[in-house]
Amino acid sequence: MTINTMEWQNDDALFEMIRTELYTAVIGDIMDKMGLLHQFLPPQIQPLRSDMFVAGRAMTVLEADVLECADYESNNPILKKPFGLMLEALDDLKKNEVYICSGASPAYALWGELMSTRAQILGAAGAVVDGYSRDTRGILQLNFPSFSYGNYAQDQAPRGKVIDFRVPIEIKGVLVNPGDIVVGDIDGVCVVPKQHEVEVISRALEKARGEKMVQKKILEGMSAKEAFDKYGIM
């Protein structure tokens, strides 16, 4: 099944529709049916608060473990900077983008309050990191959608640096390209490849609306088997 038409005219409308009508489970179900079987990030990546929801385009960030040492002088000018290219990556965020970072060992925080503040000002949709976040109270006060392994204050500055951004990254076997759609909620985070986004989102909308109809029929007394036999949804 291929869908070439879409209900939205631009990214603002697209992501508002996703936030209003969709959720990761229904998007994941559609990708499974399309043979896209490895699109969920590891289950350790969870929202800082259960009601947080993120939907936007991936602004990919590549981090690396880099230990600072007084007796060591790097030959790479990027590694001489306190955070590598992190500040440049942060300032490059655009409206509706998600700062999504991978490449580091889970030994320090990759996201924090000041980063959230800057990202929010730039109109970013949220942050998803393959590691920890910190400054949790501040992020929660900002209500900025942030997904991580959880709360851990150890800083990245002497331990890791951003070495590139807007490049393909991999998170536990899931390829994330710049511009892919990232959707996250209490059930996890999934990545919709840009080349499949129209079909995935269109079919997910159809399924989500069908699920509401099936729920209504079940509440009216229809059995689960009868509902599935008639509507093919459960």
Side-chain angles (χ1 to χ4, degrees):
M1 176 180 182
T2 301
I3 296 176
N4 296 313
T5 59
M6 55 189 186
E7 297 184 34
W8 56 95
Q9 299 300 314
N10 52 51
D11 275 1
D12 286 342
L14 167 62
F15 295 123
E16 178 61 26
M17 189 175 296
I18 291 174
R19 285 189 293 267
T20 302
E21 297 194 59
L22 297 183
Y23 42 95
T24 56
V26 73
I27 294 172
D29 288 353
I30 294 301
M31 289 194 287
D32 282 347
K33 291 181 183 300
M34 293 172 59
L36 303 170
L37 301 177
H38 304 287
Q39 300 305 127
F40 269 93
L41 302 188
Q44 295 93 331
I45 299 178
Q46 290 288 314
L48 289 188
R49 194 178 59 228
S50 63
D51 64 343
M52 283 183 168
F53 189 98
V54 65
R57 294 202 178 275
M59 201 290 277
T60 53
V61 179
L62 183 61
E63 181 101 7
D65 294 342
V66 181
L67 290 176
E68 287 191 0
C69 178
D71 298 327
Y72 167 75
E73 181 67 23
S74 174
N75 295 309
N76 186 336
I78 291 174
L79 302 187
K80 295 178 181 179
K81 306 174 74 167
F83 300 98
L85 296 175
M86 187 195 79
L87 301 178
E88 288 84 348
L90 185 63
D91 284 338
D92 198 52
L93 276 167
K94 306 294 191 296
K95 184 181 180 184
N96 293 321
E97 287 190 331
V98 178
Y99 183 103
I100 181 166
C101 179
S102 185
S105 61
Y108 46 88
L110 297 171
W111 191 255
E113 179 184 8
L114 292 180
M115 296 176 75
S116 298
T117 302
R118 178 59 174 155
Q120 194 169 64
I121 287 172
L122 293 172
V128 175
V129 298
D130 186 23
Y132 291 95
S133 56
R134 67 181 205 162
D135 309 321
T136 306
R137 288 191 179 92
I139 296 174
L140 292 176
Q141 286 178 353
L142 289 169
N143 196 32
F144 186 76
S146 302
F147 290 67
S148 71
Y149 285 10
N151 317 322
Y152 187 44
Q154 186 153 266
D155 192 18
Q156 68 176 295
R159 300 174 180 89
K161 299 179 189 295
V162 170
I163 59 174
D164 210 347
F165 59 97
R166 297 196 184 279
V167 295
I169 62 173
E170 186 179 12
I171 301 179
K172 303 300 185 291
V174 179
L175 177 65
V176 187
N177 283 299
D180 286 349
I181 290 179
V182 179
V183 181
D185 58 23
I186 192 174
D187 288 327
V189 180
C190 64
V191 177
V192 180
K194 185 175 176 60
Q195 65 267 33
H196 298 293
E197 67 180 49
V198 173
E199 182 172 359
V200 171
I201 299 304
S202 297
R203 291 177 63 176
L205 286 165
E206 182 181 7
K207 186 174 192 292
R209 292 163 182 170
E211 286 180 350
K212 290 185 180 297
M213 178 180 62
V214 169
Q215 184 181 40
K216 180 175 182 293
K217 295 299 182 181
I218 291 174
L219 287 170
E220 291 172 354
M222 182 179 285
S223 72
K225 185 177 185 307
E226 185 182 0
F228 184 77
D229 288 344
K230 183 171 183 178
Y231 299 105
I233 295 174
M234 185 54 61

